[in-house]
Amino acid sequence: MAEGHESPGLLGSCMIAFVQSKSLSSTLISQLSQIVKDHGAEVLEPGRKGEIRVPQATHIISNTIDFDQYAEAQALMIPVVRSDWIKATIARNKLAQVRPFSPDPRMIFSSVVLTCADIPPTDKEAIAGAIMALGGMESKDLSRQTTHLCALSLDHPKCIEAKKKNLKCKIVLPHWFDDCFRLGKRIDEGPYLLPNPEILLKAPEDAVKIPASQQLEGAVSTVPTGPYETGGSEKLVVFAQKKIMLSWDLPINPMLRKTITDKIVKGDGEIVDVVEDCDMFVCQYREGEQYVRASQLGKDVGNLAWLYHMMVYNEWTSPFRRLLHYPIPKNGIPGFQDMRITLSNYGGEARLYLENLITAAGATYTRTMKSENTHLITARMHSEKCEAAKDWNIEIVNHFWIEESYAACHVLPLNNPKYRHFPPRTNLGEVIGQTSFDEPTLREKYYPGGEERMTDAAKKKRKINERAQKNGLNVGLDRDFNVMQDPTPWEPAGSARKARATPALGNFSTPAKTRHVRSGKENDTPSVMSSASRSAKAQALSKLQDLAPDIALYEKEKKRAAKDGHGIWGGKRAADQLDKERVNRSSSPASRAADDVEDEPENKRPAKRAKVSLPEVDMRICLTGYKRWVENKGTEEADRRKLRSLGIQIVQENAPCNYLAAPGMVRTMKFLRCLAKGPDVINSSFITACIETGKRPPLKDHRLVDKANEARFGVTIDKAVNRARANRGRLLWGVPIYCTADIPNGVDAFKNIAEANGAIFKVYRARSGTTIKPTTEEEDEGAGPDPVYLLTGASPAERQLWPRFEEMARKGHMEPRIVMADWLLDVAMRQELSFDPKYLMTNRVS
């Protein structure tokens, strides 16, 4: 904080917005927000719909590019940087560069700070230029910030100094950069580390361990089993305030469809049946009017694997990021149909992924290799299959060829050196699954045109995507980007290794974020014949419902009889003649009696139809603090019926709602629980007016105005709602909150409020064991202690729990905060995670 007073204007020109994610928690955002404010920056409040106000921002702090408005930030050239940028800026007392802190995974060297030792000048310049173009930094001198030291031997003074000072930087051969540039991916430095680099000491044919493929978890198959449960005890929030449409071509049965629907609705999402209304469209194939329409409107279009992935990780991700998260071509990709492809040197999920990718592309996968095979995809050049492929003239390539062909929607030629490059001591399975789609390529192939039917919002989104694509190319991130054109190879000193070809950057594409949550078993794609049957039944049922008024009219017409018995052909006369035989055969005394009743005049029919003709519910209101029904329970049911006739339904706080009605800003459980969903807040006088007048008054006349409580809580109603829409139920995401069993007003109310905002809630009792895992600072990788809260009253029994709670928290490398319940209520009301020592119970007791 001292630096903030010395240079209060360090961030004075900055307007900063934060994007919450699992790697950038609300707790960390709260801390960083205070830090940047202390240094003169302004933290932007979210917009009316909870969106980031991108045009006003100078910097967007996000540790991932997986957020809705990333393309808009690219289009407007607003820098998106990791949270480390703030620390680097303050440490250097000047604004840090933005490129080295980009979360874009195409910046494969974004965390690299390089210095070179005994490297030829030409190669040194080429390496440094490429490193900086791909997000790294180059330093002339060795420092504690240096992460990589490029050298040919350990004899250089920089290497000696690094060993003497025990710096954590890695001393690598230039061959590592060469192989990274050739592949366009960052491979493991292990085989290139001095003093004993494997690439110089071991033969290429020696065994290499098959690596894990963490980035493939949840993206191995287009039809995984599931749906999976969200990790831990987290509330599912990824679908909050989102409308999802499930296509009828999905290979799922009605029971599984209902399970998925229930999960989405429970997570504050909504299932819709009209493409124009949805935010996410989930389907199996890249065809059909609905797929084309959703894609042209700029909806998020993905498949079942994408939907399940979001359920597991509880975070939104673009369906373009992973190849098997996007709907597959029903008949494969042209050119792959006659190919027979086999695999070698891949294991685990990487092999399953490639098997499914080959099948989705339209080729035939074979487990064994025969002379009829056309291609061998291998992670290394050494195996029995590789030797046989050479003898049988079978094409040998790495997985980049099949991935990039699938992304390009056509078969790419094999003459790209990238597809035949195999680092001698690396299994390329470690960089699998890092290829993504380009939206313009998919649009040109599968859903061209459509401008005349596009909404204004869709046209704006398309322009944003086109501008973002153009700006992405301008900064040198497209597949043809090349920064090293010096053809001079280097010769490692004291090495018998042959001179290598010039380092060159190949095709760069977006890698997936590394994941650590284990997913379940995934199955091969089943037949979807049953899905087509269900689709036909659904269409028939829909048409039947459309015909319901005509059917009812026909039934009524059948009962009509002419006065003179000689009326026109139709009505009862026609029905009797056409159905006489069937009626006589099936009639009985009971049925005839029923028919006699039905032949009576239809005086009561309109009343029955009036029930069916209730207007569709378009206002779901959660009502709290309403006193009209407190003392007069008898009128409540009648009032609810009046409201229902106006299309208004009063719902409970745990049900989806789009309005919250109250007499003021009240700290009731209902109000705070519903506020987390971000509904429009109105005065409960709107309900009274609807009941008394029998019609809806203008909403603008009943907006909730409560200046006194706005001043009391330190937030306006509009600001709290906007924040709630931005938080989407994640205000306290991952924040552990304990509560004593004897707290005044009971545990349940606080539990509902905390969990509505995404907290991890536990009850703390005298006999509660240790529920925080003992952890050291080293195990937390040097990070500071995270806060853990205990909601408590001031009774003697509760005070006896405080020392034990503090001890448990500190052993788990966490900061114990024993607070009164008002802290949770105020945080939920402001929809902003903050802390003030005034809430500490120790201060209150003292």
Side-chain angles (χ1 to χ4, degrees), residues 117 140 301 384 460 466 487 519 577 587 607 664 714 767 772 788 832:
K140 293 182 179 179
V301 178
E384 292 182 3
K460 179 181 178 182
E466 290 172 350
S519 61
Q577 183 167 330
S587 63
R767 295 185 179 182
I772 298 177
V788 55
E832 181 181 53

Side-chain angles (χ1 to χ4, degrees), residues 1 3-18 31-44 56-61 79 81-98:
M1 295 298 169
E3 290 185 11
H5 296 297
E6 292 171 8
S7 53
L10 177 60
L11 298 173
S13 60
C14 297
M15 302 182 73
I16 297 175
F18 289 90
Q31 296 169 354
L32 294 175
S33 297
Q34 191 58 52
I35 291 173
V36 297
K37 287 177 182 177
D38 291 342
H39 287 81
E42 178 183 347
V43 177
L44 289 175
Q56 285 76 42
T58 60
H59 297 80
I60 297 175
I61 310 298
V81 292
R82 300 192 308 270
S83 55
D84 295 341
W85 176 83
I86 296 174
K87 301 175 185 176
T89 293
I90 294 173
R92 297 169 188 172
N93 204 27
K94 66 176 182 180
L95 289 180
Q97 298 178 33
V98 295

Side-chain angles (χ1 to χ4, degrees), residues 9 171 189 271 273 357 463 504 553 567 624 648 663 727 741 757 787:
I171 305 176
E189 306 98 323
I271 296 292
D273 296 321
L357 189 62
K463 288 181 180 178
L553 185 61
T624 182
I648 301 171
N727 293 330
N757 287 280

Side-chain angles (χ1 to χ4, degrees), residues 7-29:
S7 53
L10 177 60
L11 298 173
S13 60
C14 297
M15 302 182 73
I16 297 175
F18 289 90
V19 178
Q20 186 181 4
S21 63
K22 287 196 172 181
S23 56
L24 187 59
S25 65
S26 53
T27 301
L28 185 55
I29 289 175

Side-chain angles (χ1 to χ4, degrees), residues 540-607:
L541 180 61
S542 176
K543 291 180 179 179
L544 191 62
Q545 291 172 343
D546 293 339
L547 292 172
D550 294 334
I551 293 172
L553 185 61
Y554 168 73
E555 292 295 332
K556 180 178 180 181
E557 185 70 14
K558 284 202 307 180
K559 300 176 182 67
R560 179 176 59 81
K563 292 181 179 179
D564 56 0
H566 300 284
I568 60 172
W569 179 257
K572 181 169 174 42
R573 203 173 144 219
D576 287 346
Q577 183 167 330
L578 293 175
D579 299 336
K580 183 176 181 179
E581 183 179 352
R582 176 180 58 82
V583 171
N584 290 337
R585 189 181 298 120
S586 60
S587 63
S588 64
S591 62
R592 284 195 297 271
D595 290 340
D596 293 339
V597 173
E598 288 181 352
D599 286 340
E600 294 178 4
E602 301 265 327
N603 294 331
K604 296 184 180 181
R605 291 285 180 179

Side-chain angles (χ1 to χ4, degrees), residues 466-582:
E466 290 172 350
R467 179 64 63 87
Q469 181 80 3
K470 182 178 178 181
N471 290 343
L473 297 178
N474 288 340
V475 297
L477 292 177
D478 63 304
R479 289 196 165 99
D480 298 324
F481 177 56
N482 193 322
V483 298
M484 301 189 68
Q485 299 181 7
D486 182 1
T488 306
W490 58 61
E491 181 73 28
S495 170
R497 185 181 172 110
K498 294 181 180 180
R500 302 177 60 134
T502 307
L505 287 181
N507 299 348
F508 283 86
S509 45
T510 308
K513 180 181 175 184
T514 302
R515 303 292 191 175
H516 300 284
V517 180
R518 184 178 179 185
S519 61
K521 180 180 178 183
E522 296 177 322
N523 296 327
D524 294 335
T525 307
S527 170
V528 293
M529 293 296 291
S530 60
S531 177
S533 173
R534 289 193 302 274
S535 179
K537 291 176 183 176
Q539 292 176 6
L541 180 61
S542 176
K543 291 180 179 179
L544 191 62
Q545 291 172 343
D546 293 339
L547 292 172
D550 294 334
I551 293 172
L553 185 61
Y554 168 73
E555 292 295 332
K556 180 178 180 181
E557 185 70 14
K558 284 202 307 180
K559 300 176 182 67
R560 179 176 59 81
K563 292 181 179 179
D564 56 0
H566 300 284
I568 60 172
W569 179 257
K572 181 169 174 42
R573 203 173 144 219
D576 287 346
Q577 183 167 330
L578 293 175
D579 299 336
K580 183 176 181 179
E581 183 179 352
R582 176 180 58 82

